Amino acid sequence: AALAATASFAQSSVTISGLLDAGYRSVNAPAADADTQGVFQNGSATSTINIAGTEDLGGGMKANFRVELNADFVGGTGLTGAQLQSSAADDLAAAGTANTVRSSSGGLHQTFLGLEGGFGQVKLGRLNSGSLTAWGTGSVFGTALGSGYGSNGNIFTRYSSSVANLYQTAPTRFNNAIEYTTPSFSGLTARVLYVPKVDNVGGTNNSTVATLPGANRAGVTDIGAFYSNGPLNVALTQQAHKFGATALNNVVTTGSNQAANSTYKLTTLAANYAIGAATVYGAMWTEKHAEGTTSTYTAGYDIAGRMVGAKYVMGATTLMASYGLSNDKTSVNIDRKIVGLGADYALSKRTSLYARYEDRDANKNNSTDSSTHGSTKTTAVGVRHTF
């Protein structure tokens, strides 16, 4: 994004930038009371206001920070953040719960303080995962409409309360995290993100407040290798969530104990390749976890997914399409697929009109989750502005 404001002090600087997305959306869902329409946000990209700073420490070393604020155009919550446990699952905290707000209605995205130099880069804070980077590498729609990324009824991750509540299975970002990124070697880098596990016998397993003493959480390790050189970008990541002996509940909803000392693993391989005005995208992933006690996923996880997409630029117009599916290999057999179509029209270098259409289909045999059975069609038009 273009720089909106930069303040410099000797060898340091602070920059404000961002992306804003708002539009109109209509949803036709299988459940009779699930149809919606009206103003919404983040149809083509995630709205954020970024404050970033850097200081030259000499000898090739820099200190840097970044704060990404989620602006709310719909609910009026402004930029107020939430104090939640170590997971992007906090995005689904119920409105009205003490000390929580939904991230879709305000809150923080990635926020960190770090050092970088010839050794690479170290970050501390609320960090985007390598698995999120991998998804963005293979998805023409990013994490927005048409991509299949996210919560209830989508094909990638299962952190919605009406589907399953694996604690910390949303792979987007994590609180309490530390990450190391290597220097680039001819376009190849590696990243390791780590969240320490808290497993106190008698501790709190269902707290929405990260600072509460004794609040347990699963440990997370997210490792990845990334290659970017010329027209080719490739990412390979594996994210593991290690549950303790206390068989943790999901952080924001009850009734979701996980098998004690079990491990959830999400492995993703993604790539994109530019050929003139066209770019092709693709991804494959697997999700595996032992048996839990959720009402829907008592058989655990054994899921394989794949996605293909393409983008073509014609002057000010960009056309996009994507198809993805996930194959549930357990006895629950919750297969899903999504078709996404989109078009952008650039009014300037920073402002674009967009249109999106997606058709999500959950081929479910489990009557306890009938709200996601069948096809959900979403149509959206809006405007996106960067600064």
Side-chain angles (χ1 to χ4, degrees):
L3 301 184
T6 302
S8 297
F9 307 94
Q11 293 181 307
S12 64
S13 64
V14 176
T15 299
I16 299 175
S17 62
L19 183 150
L20 306 176
D21 179 306
Y24 183 87
R25 177 177 61 184
S26 176
V27 180
N28 180 259
D33 60 348
D35 291 351
T36 61
Q37 57 184 345
V39 175
F40 82 117
Q41 62 190 73
N42 303 341
S44 70
T46 302
S47 297
T48 181
I49 298 174
N50 309 314
I51 304 171
T54 183
E55 180 185 16
D56 190 343
L57 302 176
M61 182 177 293
K62 295 181 180 180
N64 51 53
F65 74 88
R66 186 176 182 88
V67 178
E68 299 179 359
L69 305 172
N70 185 2
D72 177 18
F73 296 101
V74 180
T77 60
L79 300 173
T80 303
Q83 295 181 348
L84 297 168
Q85 287 273 13
S86 174
S87 173
D90 59 13
D91 293 353
L92 296 170
T97 302
N99 298 313
T100 68
V101 293
R102 292 182 301 160
S103 289
S104 60
S105 298
L108 292 175
H109 294 300
Q110 180 168 237
T111 303
F112 66 82
L113 179 65
L115 293 172
E116 62 177 301
F119 59 87
Q121 186 174 27
V122 175
K123 297 178 182 177
L124 297 165
R126 177 172 166 84
L127 303 178
N128 289 347
S129 70
S131 297
L132 175 64
T133 301
W135 179 265
T137 301
S139 171
V140 66
F141 292 113
T143 60
L145 284 177
S147 68
Y149 187 94
S151 58
N152 189 13
N154 284 293
I155 65 170
F156 191 70
T157 78
R158 301 287 187 273
Y159 61 82
S160 172
S161 59
S162 62
V163 181
N165 283 312
L166 272 179
Y167 178 68
Q168 294 186 334
T169 58
T172 307
R173 64 184 62 89
F174 297 92
N175 299 337
N176 310 300
I178 180 172
E179 181 186 75
Y180 170 68
T181 303
T182 68
S184 177
F185 301 98
S186 300
L188 179 65
T189 60
R191 289 165 55 184
V192 179
L193 179 147
Y194 174 70
V195 178
K197 179 173 64 176
V198 178
D199 187 25
N200 297 322
V201 176
T204 303
N205 290 346
N206 197 46
S207 171
T208 58
V209 184
T211 56
L212 189 69
N216 288 321
R217 63 170 179 263
V220 179
T221 304
D222 187 285
I223 60 175
F226 307 88
Y227 179 77
S228 181
N229 196 344
L232 178 64
N233 299 283
V234 182
L236 174 62
T237 62
Q238 183 175 87
Q239 187 177 111
H241 302 247
K242 297 184 178 180
F243 303 95
T246 53
L248 293 171
N249 283 341
N250 178 274
V251 67
V252 295
T253 54
T254 59
S256 305
N257 291 340
Q258 305 311 314
N261 300 311
S262 63
T263 300
Y264 165 90
K265 289 185 179 180
L266 168 66
T267 304
T268 308
L269 173 63
N272 65 66
Y273 187 80
I275 310 170
T279 305
V280 293
Y281 296 78
M284 299 184 297
W285 62 91
T286 60
E287 296 180 80
K288 294 183 180 294
H289 187 260
E291 181 179 1
T293 61
T294 61
S295 60
T296 304
Y297 277 94
T298 54
Y301 282 124
D302 186 4
I303 295 172
R306 57 188 184 272
M307 173 175 58
V308 293
K311 176 177 69 176
Y312 188 78
V313 180
M314 301 181 297
T317 301
T318 301
L319 302 177
M320 292 159 282
S322 181
Y323 173 77
L325 58 85
S326 65
N327 177 27
D328 187 347
K329 300 179 181 180
T330 71
S331 59
V332 181
N333 192 27
I334 305 177
D335 296 336
R336 303 179 185 278
K337 65 181 179 181
I338 185 170
V339 175
L341 301 174
D344 289 357
Y345 182 79
L347 299 175
S348 70
K349 291 183 178 180
R350 295 184 295 162
T351 303
S352 296
L353 300 176
Y354 68 82
R356 294 289 186 272
Y357 172 81
E358 72 169 30
D359 185 351
R360 285 188 284 119
D361 184 27
N363 178 23
K364 287 185 49 54
N365 299 315
N366 192 314
S367 61
T368 62
D369 193 19
S370 59
S371 64
T372 60
H373 177 70
S375 177
T376 299
K377 299 178 175 62
T378 302
T379 304
V381 293
V383 60
R384 181 179 64 250
H385 175 76
T386 61
F387 63 89

